[in-house]
Every structure is written in C-alpha cells, then in structure tokens.
C-alpha cells in the first residue's frame, strides 16, 4: 500500500513539474518578462494593411519597402513606410488627413510631453497623429517628417495588446 502511494505521488509530482515547465516555457516565449507577446505580433499584418490602405500622395516616392516589426522594449507592433519628399508638404498633409478620415482614423491631440525636436524651426508641429480601434485595441497612426532637415517623411501605424503604443 505504501509503495502505491509513493508511486502515485511521484507520478503526480512528475506531471505537475512537466506542466510547470511547459507552461513556463510558453509564458517565456510569449513575452513573459520581456518582449512582444504572440498577441502583439499578430497585430503586425493589420497595421501593415492600415498603412497600405492610405495610399500615396501624388509626387511622393516610397523610400524602400514597407516594414513591419514588434518593439520588444515597449511591446507594440509597428508597420510603416518611408517616402522621399518631392511632393509638397501641404499636399502630403491634405492627402493623409483625407485618407485617414476615409479609413476611420480620428485626429489625436498632440502629446503635451512630446520632445521639442518634434517641431520645425518655426515652431510648427512636425507630423500628424490619428487613433482608431483595430482588432480590439487602440492603434496610432503617425505621419512625421525628419527633424534634422533631411527630406522625406514616414507613415507608421502602431498597436499593442500588452504594452503601450503612441504616435512617433
């Protein structure tokens, strides 16, 4: 009888240990202490679709391929594209304001904690920011220009299920 209890205890203990190892491994791979979770990574394709749906204003040239990533530090999915800027900035602003509105994006107020370099020498804010619900979470869409005087601009959509996302 004692041998049966010992054997059962060892079997149950082994099953509990195996469950902890498997569960802990899944938790660690799913962003446990650091990194994007699988849920965050699954937002990459919807973010890419949102950026693609905006189109490109006349005169702007894509500067490379569209990119997707997941920021492990802040746990957000991001998709975007850079553009060379032979187009006039006013045309770019008009295009993205209209395209964002057509696609359900709402203008977001400027972040009061935004660093000073996010304005041009005349004090104008460099960029546009919009928000929208995508896949059950708040997504942020940013259209921003280089702050160091280089030509070009970037369009990025970000969202997160477990971290934070904002307009960049």
């Amino acid at each position: 009888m004692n041998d049966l209890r010992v054997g059962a205890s060892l079997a149950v203990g082994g099953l509990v240990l195996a469950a902890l190892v498997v569960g802990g491994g899944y938790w660690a791979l799913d962003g446990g202490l650091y990194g994007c979770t699988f849920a965050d990574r699954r937002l990459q394709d919807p973010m890419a679709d949102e950026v693609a749906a905006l189109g490109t204003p006349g005169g702007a040239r894509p500067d490379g391929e569209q990119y997707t990533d997941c920021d492990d530090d802040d746990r957000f999915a991001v998709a975007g594209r850079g553009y060379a800027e032979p187009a006039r900035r006013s045309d770019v602003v008009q295009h993205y304001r209209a395209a964002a509105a057509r696609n359900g994006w709402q203008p977001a107020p400027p972040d009061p904690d935004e660093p000073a370099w996010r304005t041009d020498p005349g004090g104008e804010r460099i960029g546009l920011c919009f928000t929208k619900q995508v896949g059950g979470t708040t997504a942020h869409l940013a259209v921003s220009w280089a702050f160091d005087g280089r030509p070009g601009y970037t369009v990025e959509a970000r969202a997160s299920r477990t971290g934070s996302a904002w307009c960049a």
Side-chain angles (χ1 to χ4, degrees), residues 5-74:
R5 284 186 188 162
V6 169
S9 295
L10 287 174
V12 169
L15 288 173
V16 168
L17 180 62
L20 287 173
V21 167
V22 169
Y26 179 83
W27 175 77
L29 289 174
D30 190 30
L33 293 177
Y34 176 79
C36 289
T37 65
F38 294 134
D40 293 327
R41 291 185 193 288
R42 282 192 294 273
L43 289 169
Q44 288 175 281
D45 287 340
M47 293 299 97
D49 293 342
E50 291 291 336
V51 170
L54 299 172
T56 304
R61 289 187 328 263
D63 186 13
E65 295 294 316
Q66 184 167 330
Y67 57 87
T68 59
D69 196 10
C70 199
D71 184 288
D72 285 324
D73 291 333
D74 294 311

